[in-house]
Amino acid sequence: MSSDKVIEAAERVGHLIIETYRSPNRAFDDLPELLEKMDPLRGFSDACRRELQTPRGH
């Protein structure tokens, strides 16, 4: 089971992708370029890394 922080970070990534895709003058083909600029997985990967480094039961 993942921590609340990991789940929240994953949800933020999903919302950012949806918001970016739905924004004006954007197409699905634009997504790779936008993702490179925004680095939306940074917070998610940091949260996962912290969770993996924390001993179980804390």
Side-chain angles (χ1 to χ4, degrees):
M1 186 166 157
S2 294
S3 68
D4 289 343
K5 290 189 181 210
V6 169
I7 293 168
E8 290 169 5
E11 288 176 348
R12 279 192 299 274
V13 170
H15 289 289
L16 178 61
I17 290 170
I18 291 168
E19 288 172 22
T20 302
Y21 177 68
R22 295 178 72 195
S23 64
N25 300 319
R26 298 285 184 211
F28 188 74
D29 293 337
D30 298 330
L31 194 55
E33 180 183 335
L34 292 169
L35 293 177
E36 283 181 29
K37 294 177 185 176
M38 292 185 280
D39 195 10
L41 295 177
R42 171 71 64 187
F44 177 67
S45 62
D46 289 345
C48 290
R49 190 174 301 107
R50 281 191 299 275
E51 182 175 289
L52 290 172
Q53 293 172 345
T54 302
R56 293 280 182 195
H58 289 103

